[in-house]
């Protein structure tokens, strides 16, 4: 064995396949259409996606629908989101949420935008901020299967959905998959019955519910190809507007084609035992200048051999995706949730494509709640929280590209406010870097800029990829410039962060006076940024003078505020982190006081005993709404060694879980969201982070395996990624750790918390077939040893 080979290599692809074979998602009844046409999503059916195009499968055996959405299909027009009665003549009252933002505020809307037959049902402000729009749907109509026995199975490993419908002599097996390598949707129809089936395929894009300025979709059918094209109006951001189209054809049968209002159809017959394939292809004007023509050309060229080649490429992509890492835990439900959300994330994001908004590519309504936009006060960032430890870092590139595109705007905002560097806004949209909601406001949260670039530093810390760092270091440095110009020194020599707010909330002192200095999330995330900048500049050998200023700010930044808290259950008061300096109570909307633990990465099991005690008490008592603490609270609990972290995660799921294991932020059916909830909140795909942190932690520079696993539980994992560019694998059976494998990607010094009284470290080296012993220094239960790039080290009890 030589240095390029790995000692004790674990085949994560095979292990992931074995685990995923246990986690087929079954559906025994159809997912229905959302009863609310204005907002919310039909989020309960099987999901398909390739990081650009997405599909939700809903409907009955006789009318099976694929609802299509696309990450880059946005109505980019903008206007005053709050129209006053005086601004236009005879405005129509908006009853309910304005684009899902805030309910019952009596907003108005331009009456010339409204469709006349809808004015009695006005719920949304069409002239507000930009938002993604649904692409349309593909409908498979098989009348003979009305009332048929229903069964669907979603294979996560293969990214395929199989539907089996049985109605006596009429039965069918339908396989749906969306190519991982291009925007082609494949529907394989196998007639498994004794009688022929008459089938119709319909492509449809509905007329916009409220906004008559959006033109109707244009259907066409010629030369065996169906197509539906939808145009969205021009805007300042996109003067030519945007076009999206999807086309389809039937392979393996002669079809009669035609068009009707907003719809293109193809009819054919499937004989008993026959297999027919419907291929569909979707493009936008970002993919091709004339997307309808390009989509039609593509589907006309596809043969059965092409379908087989696409299937092979699709399977290969997903095999590679699952080979990145695996986990195995005692809790079957949480393990299933873990893999399902890794799957959803793989469907929602792809390098080189537009970043997913709040609901990813699964936009099925005209006006998604909260505009389906990019909220930068956690929602957008949280989508990618789990990818670093899960070893799927490539998924964050759409985020990196979008944030980097905002730098000119962020530089302008900092200068406009009188500061140096760059300052990011609180909300952004696709394809519109010159405009942001509330005129570039940071929503009063000075933490935002450090928060927005945290993922860039996580990428660097987990990979030590200097090429990546060199590309984005100038942006990171400008973020440091902003904070150096913003903070102020007080009489005690502390750097303080003035005029700021906790996350979407306010804090007050005992007299009711607002508190706005040294909000704890600001202190935590600025500390993270300064540590990252110091590390990055040292690695690049750059910016010695700025580095000294970053060090000075880090060393003299105000400490985390604390307060005394009286537990409701009685007993002695405990010291906990406070939301803001001088605070005597928490704001209760977000668990803001947890940010020194996560995502500030400053507090954990390696902290001094007093700080760790305060952090644990905070995690036990801090209140927050369940929709805002899904990831934050259980992750923080895991990082302070609480064995109930996974229980906290399960507790907050409530009625928010869909059949496909996606998690809505709100209980399904709440308020105006309709019976099927608001939709697939891709931010909750970060759920795997909680499991990863229970199994492996490294944020304080020490690798710790199973730090928060419940006592006596068993678990194992392969190739989870640790800070320092290490891939770690380990196993614990009934509380006993058998070994720890560490692959060094960057050849850095490795520090591991040892779970045994005695241990040995071995590695493959020098072309030998036997492992050689590795020396380590031991202090406070932590072994420190040197590593070489590309070598796997095994640590085990002596």
């Amino acid at each position: 064995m030589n240095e390029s080979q790995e000692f004790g290599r674990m085949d994560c692809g095979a292990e992931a396949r074995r685990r995923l074979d246990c986690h087929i998602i079954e559906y025994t009844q159809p997912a229905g259409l959302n009863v609310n046409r204005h907002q919310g999503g039909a989020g309960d059916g099987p999901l398909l996606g390739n990081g650009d195009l997405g599909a939700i499968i809903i409907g009955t055996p006789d009318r099976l629908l694929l609802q299509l959405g696309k990450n880059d299909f946005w109505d980019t027009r903008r206007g005053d989101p709050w129209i006053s009665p005086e601004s236009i003549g005879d405005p129509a009252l908006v009853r309910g949420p304005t684009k899902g933002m805030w309910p019952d505020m009596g907003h108005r809307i331009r009456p010339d935008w409204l469709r006349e037959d809808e004015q009695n049902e006005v719920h949304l402000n069409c002239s507000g901020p930009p938002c993604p729009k649904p692409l349309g749907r593909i409908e498979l109509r098989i009348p003979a299967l009305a009332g048929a026995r229903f069964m669907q199975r979603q294979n996560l490993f293969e990214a395929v959905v199989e539907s089996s419908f049985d109605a006596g002599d009429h039965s069918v097996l339908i396989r749906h998959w969306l190519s991982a390598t291009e925007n082609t949707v494949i529907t394989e129809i196998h007639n498994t019955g004794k009688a022929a089936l008459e089938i119709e395929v319909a492509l449809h894009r509905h007329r916009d519910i409220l906004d008559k300025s959006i033109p109707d979709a244009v259907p066409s059918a010629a030369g065996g190809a169906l197509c539906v094209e939808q145009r969205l109006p021009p805007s300042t951001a996109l003067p030519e507007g945007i076009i999206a189209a999807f086309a389809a054809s039937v392979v393996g049968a002669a079809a009669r084609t035609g068009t009707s209002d907003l719809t293109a159809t193809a009819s054919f017959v499937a004989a008993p035992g026959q297999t027919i394939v419907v291929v569909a292809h979707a493009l936008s004007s970002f993919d091709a200048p004339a997307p309808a023509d390009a989509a039609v050309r593509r589907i006309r060229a596809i043969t059965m051999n092409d379908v087989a080649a696409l299937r092979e490429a699709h399977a290969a992509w997903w095999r590679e995706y699952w080979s990145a890492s695996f986990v195995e835990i005692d809790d079957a439900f949480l393990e299933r949730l873990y893999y399902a959300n890794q799957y959803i994330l793989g469907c929602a994001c792809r390098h080189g494509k537009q970043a997913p908004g709040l609901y990813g590519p699964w936009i099925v309504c005209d006006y998604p709640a909260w505009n389906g936009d990019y909220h930068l006060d956690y929602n957008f960032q949280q989508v990618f929280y789990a990818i670093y430890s899960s070893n799927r870092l490539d998924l964050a590139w759409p985020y990196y590209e979008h944030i980097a595109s905002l730098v000119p705007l962020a530089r302008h905002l900092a200068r406009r406010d009188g500061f140096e560097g760059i300052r990011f806004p609180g909300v952004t949209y696709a394809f519109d870097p010159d405009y942001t909601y509330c005129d570039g406001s940071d929503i009063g949260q000075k933490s935002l800029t450090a928060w927005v670039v945290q993922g860039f530093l996580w990428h660097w810390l987990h990979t030590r990829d200097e090429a990546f760092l060199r590309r984005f270091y100038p942006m990171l440095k400008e973020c440091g410039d902003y904070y150096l110009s913003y903070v102020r020194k007080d009489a005690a020599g502390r750097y303080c962060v003035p005029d700021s707010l906790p996350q979407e909330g306010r804090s007050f002192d005992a007299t009711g006076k607002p508190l706005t200095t040294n909000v704890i999330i600001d202190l935590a995330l600025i500390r993270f940024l300064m540590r990252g900048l110091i590390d990055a500049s040292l690695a690049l050998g750059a910016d010695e003078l700025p580095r000294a200023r970053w060090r000075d700010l880090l060393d003299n930044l105000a400490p985390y505020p604390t307060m005394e808290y009286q537990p409701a259950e009685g007993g002695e008061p405990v010291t906990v982190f406070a939301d803001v300096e001088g605070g005597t109570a928490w704001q209760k909307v977000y668990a803001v006081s947890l940010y020194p633990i996560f995502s500030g990465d400053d507090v954990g099991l390696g902290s001094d005993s007093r700080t760790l005690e305060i952090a644990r008490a905070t995690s036990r008592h801090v209140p927050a709404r369940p929709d805002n603490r899904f990831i934050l609270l259980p992750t923080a609990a895991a990082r302070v060694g609480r064995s109930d972290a996974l229980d906290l995660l399960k507790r907050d799921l409530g009625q928010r879980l869909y059949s496909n294991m996606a998690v809505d932020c709100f209980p399904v059916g709440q308020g105006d969201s309709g019976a099927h909830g608001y939709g697939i909140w891709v931010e909750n795909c970060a759920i795997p982070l909680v499991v990863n942190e229970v199994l492996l932690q490294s944020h304080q520079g020490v690798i710790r395996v199973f730090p928060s696993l419940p006592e006596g539980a068993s678990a194992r994992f392969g190739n989870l990624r640790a800070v320092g560019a290490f891939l770690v694998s380990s196993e614990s059976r009934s509380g006993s750790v058998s070994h720890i494998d560490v692959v060094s990607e960057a050849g850095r010094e490795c520090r591991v918390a040892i779970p045994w009284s005695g241990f040995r470290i071995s590695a493959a080296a020098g072309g030998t077939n036997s492992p050689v012993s590795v020396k380590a220094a031991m202090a406070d239960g932590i072994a420190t040893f040197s590593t070489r790039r590309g070598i796997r080290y095994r640590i085990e009890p002596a």
Side-chain angles (χ1 to χ4, degrees), residues 177 179-182 307-319:
W177 47 280
S179 169
T181 57
E182 65 173 62
V307 170
L310 278 172
R311 186 187 299 113
E312 183 177 344
H314 173 77
W317 191 95
W318 281 100
R319 280 196 305 271

Side-chain angles (χ1 to χ4, degrees), residues 82-398:
W82 317 125
I83 296 177
S84 69
E86 296 80 18
S87 65
I88 55 174
D90 191 25
L93 180 65
V94 176
R95 306 182 187 280
T98 298
K99 269 196 174 178
M101 293 294 288
W102 306 108
D104 305 323
M105 295 183 70
H107 306 304
R108 269 91 174 157
I109 188 171
R110 292 178 58 91
D112 56 313
W113 281 41
L114 295 176
R115 297 188 184 278
E116 294 181 2
D117 58 345
E118 296 289 348
Q119 290 197 27
N120 292 328
E121 295 188 32
V122 176
H123 287 272
L124 302 160
N125 184 345
C126 301
S127 63
C131 73
K133 289 284 189 176
L135 190 60
R137 74 185 188 210
I138 302 171
E139 185 172 344
L140 194 63
R141 302 167 181 168
I142 311 178
L145 295 180
R149 188 163 58 245
F150 182 98
M151 173 59 73
Q152 281 180 333
R153 289 166 56 88
Q154 180 156 15
N155 185 313
L156 300 179
F157 187 84
E158 297 178 355
V160 171
V161 177
E162 288 191 350
S163 302
S164 178
F165 305 137
D166 186 1
D169 288 346
H170 297 99
S171 62
V172 67
L173 176 65
I174 300 171
R175 300 179 82 247
H176 283 115
W177 47 280
L178 199 169
S179 169
T181 57
E182 65 173 62
N183 282 357
T184 300
V185 184
I186 304 294
T187 303
E188 301 174 11
I189 306 168
H190 310 274
N191 185 347
T192 56
K194 299 177 181 178
L197 289 172
E198 294 185 359
I199 302 172
E200 183 177 67
V201 175
L203 275 58
H204 175 79
R205 208 291 181 179
H206 67 278
R207 182 173 288 113
D208 193 275
I209 295 297
L210 297 177
D211 186 354
K212 67 183 181 183
S213 68
I214 294 180
D216 286 350
V218 178
S220 61
L226 313 177
C227 187
V228 171
E229 179 184 76
Q230 177 66 56
R231 293 174 177 264
L232 295 177
S235 67
T236 304
L238 298 176
E240 302 300 320
I242 181 172
I243 307 170
F246 55 110
S249 65
V250 179
V251 181
R256 302 183 308 277
T257 61
T259 61
S260 58
D261 187 34
L262 308 173
T263 305
T265 60
S267 301
F268 56 93
V269 175
Q274 186 178 13
T275 296
I276 296 172
V277 177
V278 177
V279 294
H281 195 69
L283 299 172
S284 74
S285 44
F286 292 103
D287 303 313
D293 293 343
V296 167
R297 283 196 304 271
R298 176 57 182 144
I299 58 100
R300 281 179 174 164
I302 293 179
T303 65
M304 284 293 192
N305 288 337
D306 296 319
V307 170
L310 278 172
R311 186 187 299 113
E312 183 177 344
H314 173 77
W317 191 95
W318 281 100
R319 280 196 305 271
E320 181 69 18
Y321 179 79
W322 291 119
S323 71
S325 64
F326 81 92
V327 305
E328 179 181 325
I329 56 178
D330 276 347
D331 192 313
F333 166 75
L334 278 182
E335 187 178 305
R336 186 171 174 233
L337 185 70
Y338 179 96
Y339 282 111
N341 279 274
Q342 296 279 29
Y343 169 79
I344 295 169
L345 191 58
C347 289
C349 309
R350 199 61 52 86
H351 196 164
K353 300 298 182 180
Q354 182 63 30
L358 288 172
Y359 310 103
W362 299 290
I363 300 296
V364 300
C365 59
D366 287 323
Y367 302 99
W370 286 270
N371 313 311
D373 57 26
Y374 305 130
H375 269 56
L376 300 185
D377 60 341
Y378 98 85
N379 307 81
F380 195 21
Q381 295 95 313
Q382 184 172 289
V383 175
F384 308 99
Y385 276 178
I387 68 168
Y388 302 97
S389 54
S390 295
N391 196 26
R392 295 183 170 90
L393 292 87
D394 196 58
L395 295 178
W397 274 97

Side-chain angles (χ1 to χ4, degrees), residues 687-769:
I687 279 174
L689 173 69
V690 181
V691 177
N692 291 349
E693 292 290 332
V694 167
L695 302 180
L696 174 72
Q697 292 177 21
S698 63
H699 63 286
Q700 292 181 303
V702 176
I703 292 171
R704 302 176 188 274
V705 298
F706 310 109
S708 305
L709 194 67
E711 185 176 355
S714 297
R716 67 188 187 118
F717 61 88
N719 284 5
L720 293 186
R721 182 172 287 273
V723 168
F726 299 108
L727 297 179
V728 185
S729 306
S730 188
E731 181 173 1
S732 177
R733 290 299 172 194
S734 301
S736 178
V737 178
S738 62
H739 67 280
I740 305 170
D741 282 353
V742 179
V743 176
S744 176
E745 289 190 336
R748 293 175 59 81
E749 181 180 84
C750 185
R751 304 176 70 217
V752 180
I754 301 300
W756 315 286
S757 57
F759 69 98
R760 60 175 175 264
I761 304 177
S762 54
T768 65
N769 291 320

Side-chain angles (χ1 to χ4, degrees), residues 638-655:
R639 287 196 165 183
V640 297
R642 289 178 56 180
S643 61
D644 62 344
L646 298 179
D647 291 332
L648 293 176
L649 174 62
K650 288 193 289 187
R651 178 196 67 184
D652 282 341
L653 291 177
Q655 299 176 15

